[in-house]
Amino acid sequence: MLFLIYGNMLKTMDEQSIAQEKKPVYIIGHRNPDTDSVVAATAYARLKQLLGKPEYMAGRGGTISPQTEYIFNRFNVQIPQYIPDMVPKVLYYMNKQVNPVSGDTSLWNAIAEMEETNAKELPVINADGTYSSLLHYNAFAQNILKVMNPETATVFSTNIRLITETLSAQQVLVFNTEELFKCVIIVAADSFETLKKTLVLHTPENAVIITSDRQDVQEYCIQMGVRALVLSSSTPMEKTLREKAEKKHVSVLMSPYRSAETAMLVMYSAPVSTMADARVPPVNVSDTIRKIRPLLQESVSRSLPVIDDKRLLVGIISESHLLHDPNVEIILVDHNELTQAVEGVENYTIREVIDHHRLGNLNTKTPITFINRPVGATSTIIVSLYRQNRVPIPKEIASILLAGILADTLILQSTTTTNEDRDTAEYLSNITNLDIQALGHDIIAAANRIGNRSTGEVVRQDMKEYSESGFTFTISQIEVDTSAEILSRKKEFLDELEIERRTRNALFSAIMVTDVTKLTSILLIASQPVFLETIEFPRQDDGVYFLNDIVSRKKQLVPLLAEQIERVGGTPV
């Protein structure tokens, strides 16, 4: 029987199959999100969910601006979850379909669970759901062989409940069913005198005696106060002996198996916590794959349990999981350049791109849905997708979509504004009963509340990185109703821009300050000297240039700067 059990266990050592489930799909904008980016991600995720696809979720790659926060709070829409990066992590590869067992489960039932699920390891948890240890075949084999060693006393922890469950025994009398004790198994197969000599060598209250219809053995064991009598082959007990056993608090069980089989199975009644490997360290869901690879290689089972920040078990990860595609996919909105995407996004399948900017350097492994249209806001495209799918737009989503359009087009006054943007804004205004001009002024006012915000926060709030003619540069943008406050802190901003430029080894870093009342801008720039010589904008001060009638970063400023960068030649210093 032992060989049969061990053979069945070996079958479970085959490769564990990864549970088939719908992968989460993150819809996310660029790493320094503006209002249109966050709104587009939120509204598109809601559209997918309304189409019966709950696995689609909105994300954001950075801190939201005061303007975005104002809009989401005003219309009571939840701000998307923060996704600082998409560097490969345990969360994106682990198997969440894990059925752990509690530490007080019998080894027999734990093995049955492994065989049923075709798992090569089984996490063991504490009563509060936190990780305790890992049962794997090496740990099982080592521990069970210690118990079965004929040259040593067979002693292991168990209790009456676990013995009963493992044997599927009929209870005759049971006492202190949950109390663990150091069990020694004695099979009464020899003479009565031999049994007495054997029993005297052990503590009776730890002894489990396996016998059949030998009444002399039963009576003596009851008299000695053993922990339990297990009657093999479902042998009944005489009533007089039952009464004596009850007075002595000796548990009596009837096993459906013969004595040898019963003895072997009792050994499998040990709590799984005593047989599992507590030395296997768990990894956190947020750990990077690079960090855990050495731990996986050191693990006997090439698997590791996964916990969250509260040490609750949430999954398991193995080397085989790393050979499969991550269990998350991506949709990019409001950008299509990897330099603007959250770090690490290239490691995942990009399913869709919805954007209104120029084409960048994005490459994908498979064909994807790519929607790129020359409109003033990605939010405009999202509205068209609701209408194409004949899905009514919820009022709160229509409200933030209108705000997204107005924010990205400077209340429909930017040169990027199209008739489609205007028509869409009117459509959303009808749905929400919001006045376009009034809402526009509210959100612009929210955008230019610089107040006590640090220069670093303002510079990085809506910063995009570009590449032209072999050079890298960054341009941030902020809309204000007066540029006076920015100019009063000019040195702070130029110092911060220089830090950003040096960090990226960029040609220059700049911030475009757009005055929405005058529809013009100024440019603060920290640059390598070679580029300053090519700038053709009117210079107001050191590092400050006037951009007459220029309000669009993507349509006006970037193309002009690209022309000037071409005249630099050479490579960055």
Side-chain angles (χ1 to χ4, degrees):
M1 176 117 180
L2 174 62
F3 292 105
L4 176 61
I5 292 171
Y6 190 67
N8 287 337
M9 290 183 347
L10 287 176
K11 294 178 184 177
T12 67
M13 298 180 69
D14 294 335
E15 185 64 41
Q16 180 180 3
S17 60
I18 297 176
Q20 296 298 316
E21 61 176 354
K22 289 186 177 180
K23 295 182 178 182
V25 181
Y26 292 143
I27 304 176
I28 189 168
H30 40 81
R31 67 178 67 180
N32 297 302
D34 60 5
T35 294
D36 184 41
S37 173
V38 181
V39 166
T42 303
Y44 195 43
R46 180 69 69 86
L47 172 59
K48 292 290 190 180
Q49 292 161 9
L50 291 171
L51 290 170
K53 301 176 180 179
E55 67 273 18
Y56 288 76
M57 298 173 288
R60 57 184 173 89
T63 304
I64 60 171
S65 68
Q67 180 191 72
T68 307
E69 184 177 16
Y70 165 78
I71 290 167
F72 276 73
N73 288 341
R74 173 169 172 174
F75 298 111
N76 196 29
V77 177
Q78 184 176 356
I79 296 170
Q81 69 178 100
Y82 176 45
I83 303 176
D85 62 68
M86 289 299 295
V87 172
K89 295 182 178 66
V90 171
L91 174 64
Y92 305 140
Y93 289 86
M94 71 180 192
N95 178 15
K96 301 177 184 177
Q97 303 300 314
V98 176
N99 297 314
V101 294
S102 62
D104 61 356
T105 302
S106 69
L107 177 61
W108 183 258
N109 286 339
I111 293 172
E113 174 69 22
M114 293 177 71
E115 185 163 359
E116 182 178 345
T117 58
N118 195 32
K120 61 182 179 180
E121 68 285 305
L122 186 67
V124 181
I125 57 175
N126 299 310
D128 60 359
T130 56
Y131 169 73
S132 170
S133 52
L134 190 70
L135 179 66
H136 53 80
Y137 291 104
N138 277 32
F140 160 75
Q142 291 172 1
N143 286 309
I144 203 66
L145 286 175
K146 289 178 183 177
V147 171
M148 298 177 66
N149 189 343
E151 297 181 0
T152 61
T154 304
V155 178
F156 57 94
S157 293
T158 188
N159 61 34
I160 298 300
R161 174 183 61 83
L162 292 172
I163 293 175
T164 303
E165 291 177 357
T166 304
L167 293 174
S168 298
Q170 175 64 56
Q171 295 179 350
V172 178
L173 292 170
V174 291
F175 302 96
N176 302 322
T177 57
E178 297 296 329
E179 182 181 29
L180 288 174
F181 63 95
K182 293 294 185 180
C183 175
V184 57
I185 302 172
I186 300 175
V187 180
D190 295 323
S191 68
F192 181 61
E193 292 302 319
T194 301
L195 169 68
K196 289 195 292 184
K197 291 179 182 178
T198 302
L199 186 55
V200 79
L201 298 175
H202 303 283
T203 306
E205 54 264 32
N206 287 339
V208 172
I209 310 299
I210 299 173
T211 185
S212 57
D213 58 357
R214 294 180 60 180
Q215 294 186 15
D216 56 344
V217 170
Q218 295 177 23
E219 185 167 11
Y220 178 75
C221 291
I222 292 170
Q223 180 184 339
M224 295 297 293
V226 299
R227 175 71 64 158
L229 271 172
V230 181
L231 307 179
S232 59
S233 301
S234 298
T235 301
M237 174 177 274
E238 291 289 339
K239 288 185 179 181
T240 55
L241 290 177
R242 184 186 187 284
E243 291 170 358
K244 292 180 180 181
E246 188 170 11
K247 289 179 181 179
K248 294 287 287 186
H249 284 196
V250 174
S251 294
V252 179
L253 305 174
M254 290 193 298
S255 168
Y257 303 102
R258 291 174 299 180
S259 295
E261 296 164 348
T262 298
M264 188 276 296
L265 285 171
V266 170
M267 288 187 289
Y268 283 87
S269 70
V272 68
S273 59
T274 64
M275 295 291 180
D277 190 348
R279 299 168 301 173
V280 178
V283 295
N284 193 279
V285 289
S286 60
D287 287 341
T288 64
I289 297 302
R290 176 179 294 181
K291 176 182 177 180
I292 68 135
R293 277 189 188 277
L295 298 176
L296 279 174
Q297 293 170 357
E298 294 170 5
S299 171
V300 173
S301 64
R302 296 294 191 267
S303 302
L304 293 169
V306 182
I307 59 172
D308 63 13
D309 292 337
K310 296 180 179 179
R311 203 177 168 80
L312 294 174
L313 181 77
V314 293
I316 200 156
I317 188 166
S318 67
E319 286 187 334
S320 63
H321 293 146
L322 303 184
L323 302 177
H324 295 80
D325 290 334
N327 55 21
V328 64
E329 296 179 340
I330 305 293
I331 291 178
L332 303 181
V333 295
D334 201 38
H335 71 300
N336 68 84
E337 299 188 55
L338 289 180
T339 55
Q340 296 177 14
V342 293
E343 181 185 1
V345 74
E346 67 277 3
N347 294 291
Y348 306 87
T349 297
I350 297 175
R351 298 184 66 161
E352 301 178 33
V353 173
I354 301 175
D355 192 21
H356 68 131
H357 295 92
R358 69 175 190 174
L359 296 183
N361 56 353
L362 180 67
N363 293 310
T364 61
K365 299 177 182 178
T366 58
I368 66 171
T369 296
F370 193 104
I371 302 174
N372 187 287
R373 291 166 53 193
V375 292
T378 303
S379 294
T380 298
I381 304 173
I382 301 299
V383 174
S384 71
L385 294 175
Y386 270 88
R387 300 177 77 172
Q388 288 173 22
N389 285 278
R390 295 180 175 85
V391 175
I393 307 176
K395 186 174 180 180
E396 72 278 9
I397 297 299
S399 299
I400 64 171
L401 282 166
L402 177 56
I405 294 171
L406 299 182
D408 229 35
T409 63
L410 299 180
I411 322 179
L412 305 176
Q413 297 180 89
S414 170
T415 56
T416 61
T417 309
T418 65
N419 287 334
E420 184 177 352
D421 296 303
R422 298 184 182 92
D423 293 342
T424 302
E426 287 292 341
Y427 174 75
L428 295 172
S429 177
N430 247 316
I431 295 173
T432 61
N433 197 30
L434 290 168
D435 181 85
I436 289 176
Q437 291 302 316
L439 176 61
H441 287 299
D442 286 346
I443 63 178
I444 293 300
N448 59 40
R449 294 172 189 160
I450 297 175
N452 295 323
R453 295 169 64 197
S454 68
T455 52
E457 182 183 354
V458 175
V459 165
R460 295 176 184 87
Q461 183 62 67
D462 183 15
M463 180 174 66
K464 294 184 178 179
E465 181 178 296
Y466 301 90
S467 295
E468 291 287 348
S469 302
F471 293 94
T472 296
F473 59 96
T474 70
I475 305 175
S476 307
Q477 185 173 20
I478 185 171
E479 291 90 21
V480 297
D481 52 14
T482 174
S483 59
E485 185 176 359
I486 296 286
L487 290 175
S488 70
R489 297 168 62 184
K490 181 195 74 169
K491 185 178 185 307
E492 293 178 49
F493 277 97
L494 289 176
D495 288 346
E496 192 66 42
L497 289 168
E498 177 62 16
I499 291 173
E500 190 64 39
R501 186 196 71 78
R502 288 173 179 259
T503 300
R504 297 172 181 264
N505 193 27
L507 179 62
F508 65 85
S509 287
I511 182 169
M512 179 182 182
V513 184
T514 300
D515 189 326
V516 296
T517 62
K518 299 177 182 178
L519 294 181
T520 190
S521 304
I522 59 171
L523 186 71
L524 277 68
I525 184 169
S527 172
Q528 293 184 29
V530 67
F531 180 65
L532 292 178
E533 298 172 3
T534 69
I535 296 179
E536 297 179 344
F537 305 127
R539 180 172 170 273
Q540 286 190 336
D541 201 350
D542 290 342
V544 183
Y545 296 85
F546 180 64
L547 306 177
N548 188 39
D549 295 331
I550 296 178
V551 294
S552 171
R553 172 173 49 186
K554 70 169 182 177
K555 191 171 182 179
Q556 294 177 297
L557 181 59
V558 171
L560 290 172
L561 289 173
E563 292 179 5
Q564 297 172 27
I565 290 172
E566 287 181 359
R567 296 196 292 271
V568 173
T571 57
V573 179

